[in-house]
């Protein structure tokens, strides 16, 4: 049985402004490699011996960008589902589960993937997929756990328990905590039992729909109606707007995973990053002897541990440390690298 990749492309990438914008969020950018993040994500799941053609969920505004980037890369989707409005990941995954159930059957295993994450070691990723798919067939909802080595407040945390019975390489989940405060995150890192939630989930369509029904009664009927009353538009499927508006605005992590007894985790060291801040970009890019990571036309003097991205023109830094400098054709960002998670609030104000 092939695994059905479900690739979510709904993020706005606000923490990577000004390079990432509402009209062209980070999944469509080549930030650390030659290809965009969405293309790299799709390539990881294209082996037809393992994977069916992927199902995408994106908003209407970005539909042509998704289709164009896939076409230019020679990648062929199964379907591209269009959200009438953004209602977070629970709605997107519920609609995708109903679509997979209709298209492939209730026993089909879904591999839910964010479109905008970086994975440096695809071999370890694929090994983890193999382990997770076996657990998914057994009725578990599996997430990929990344060892927590710093108190990041923007991630979900998984407290792992004993080895899952009869499932090699899988642990039970004691608790799932979404985006804790800094004090709690620090304690989690110190225990050694906690993993970051990598945002990747494996589950059968049947298990997914059962979990949604348990977490939010009536949600499965909404998802099935959103699919049944959808409309084909060229290469896209427009989910029914009236049905979609009934979904709760909630993340899958919080709505389902925090209360589910079916949760399991596969620990994996696959060079993962959510590329969710300029500090994460700095960590992912090659650095010089002084810890500087530079893209574009950049000259540095007596400067250390900086990230400089000069999209247009020359950027010069003298005698500074720990800065993020991003220059595009219409604006410039200068920021302490250590507070890069705080950029979202500034971007909200600008909007």
């Amino acid at each position: 049985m092939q695994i059905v990749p479900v690739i979510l492309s709904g993020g706005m990438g606000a923490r990577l402004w000004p390079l990432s914008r509402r009209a062209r969020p980070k999944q469509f950018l080549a930030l650390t490699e030659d290809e965009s993040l969405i293309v790299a994500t799709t390539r990881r799941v294209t082996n037809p011996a393992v994977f069916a053609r992927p199902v995408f969920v994106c908003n209407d505004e970005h539909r042509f960008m998704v289709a164009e980037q896939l076409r230019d890369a020679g990648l062929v989707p199964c379907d591209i589902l269009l959200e009438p409005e953004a209602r977070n990941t629970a709605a997107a995954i519920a609609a995708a589960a109903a679509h997979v159930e209709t298209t492939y059957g209730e026993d089909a295993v879904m591999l839910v993937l964010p479109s905008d994450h970086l994975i440096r070691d695809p071999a370890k990723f694929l090994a983890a997929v193999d382990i997770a798919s076996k657990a998914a067939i057994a009725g578990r909802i599996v997430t990929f756990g990344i060892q927590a080595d710093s108190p990041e407040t923007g991630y979900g945390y998984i407290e792992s328990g004993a080895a899952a019975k009869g499932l090699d390489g899988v642990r039970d989940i004691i608790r799932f905590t979404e985006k804790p405060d800094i004090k709690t995150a620090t304690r989690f890192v110190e225990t050694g039992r906690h993993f970051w939630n990598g945002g990747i989930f494996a589950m059968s369509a049947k298990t997914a729909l059962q979990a949604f029904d348990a977490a939010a009664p009536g949600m499965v009927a909404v998802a099935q109606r959103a699919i049944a009353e959808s409309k084909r538009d060229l290469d896209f499927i427009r989910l029914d707007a009236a049905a979609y508006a009934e979904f709760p605005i909630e993340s899958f992590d919080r709505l389902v995973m925090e209360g589910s007894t079916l949760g399991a985790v596969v620990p994996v060291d696959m060079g993962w990053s959510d590329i969710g801040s300029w500090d994460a970009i700095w960590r992912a890019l090659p650095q010089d002897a002084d810890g500087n990571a530079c893209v574009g036309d950049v000259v540095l003097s007596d400067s250390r541990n900086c990230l400089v991205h000069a999209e247009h023109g020359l950027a010069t830094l003298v005698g500074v440390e720990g800065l993020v400098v991003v220059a595009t054709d219409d604006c410039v960002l200068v920021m302490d690298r250590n507070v890069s998670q705080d950029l979202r609030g500034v971007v909200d104000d600008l909007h």
Side-chain angles (χ1 to χ4, degrees), residues 18-46:
L19 210 59
S20 177
R21 309 285 182 100
R22 285 181 182 265
R24 192 177 180 83
K26 69 170 181 171
Q27 61 264 37
F28 301 109
L29 304 176
L31 294 169
T32 61
E33 300 174 326
D34 293 335
E35 293 185 314
S36 71
L37 290 168
I38 193 171
V39 168
T41 298
T42 308
R43 285 203 191 281
R44 283 194 289 271
V45 291
T46 54

Side-chain angles (χ1 to χ4, degrees), residues 187-210:
R187 178 167 54 84
F188 284 171
V189 173
E190 291 171 349
T191 69
R193 298 191 309 272
H194 288 78
F195 298 90
W196 292 327
N197 170 28
I200 301 170
F201 299 96
M203 63 199 120
S204 70
K206 177 181 179 180
T207 299
L209 294 173
Q210 288 175 341

Side-chain angles (χ1 to χ4, degrees), residues 124-125 127-129 131-132 142-148 158-164 167-173 192-198 264-270:
K124 288 184 178 179
F125 164 74
V129 169
I131 294 169
V142 189
T143 185
F144 288 28
I146 314 300
Q147 186 66 56
I158 302 155
E159 183 179 359
S160 64
L167 297 170
D168 291 339
V170 182
R171 299 184 191 180
D172 291 326
I173 292 177
R193 298 191 309 272
H194 288 78
F195 298 90
W196 292 327
N197 170 28
V265 59
V266 174
V268 56
D269 179 14
M270 56 187 181

Side-chain angles (χ1 to χ4, degrees), residues 223-305:
Q224 290 171 336
R225 193 165 77 252
I227 294 299
E229 299 181 14
S230 63
K231 304 295 183 184
R232 174 71 68 173
D233 180 5
L234 301 175
D235 295 329
F236 311 103
I237 294 176
R238 293 186 175 275
L239 299 171
D240 182 70
Y244 210 80
E246 296 180 29
F247 279 128
I249 302 176
E250 191 59 270
S251 70
F252 179 77
D253 312 53
R254 193 177 295 278
L255 181 69
V256 174
M257 293 303 294
E258 285 192 2
S260 178
T261 61
L262 301 176
V265 59
V266 174
V268 56
D269 179 14
M270 56 187 181
W272 172 91
S273 172
D274 73 341
I275 309 294
S277 68
W278 284 113
D279 183 61
I281 297 288
W282 174 78
R283 295 177 187 279
L285 287 171
Q287 299 169 13
D288 64 19
D290 292 317
N292 299 303
C294 301
V295 177
D297 196 2
V298 178
V299 175
L300 301 176
S301 175
D302 190 29
S303 297
R304 290 167 295 281
N305 301 321

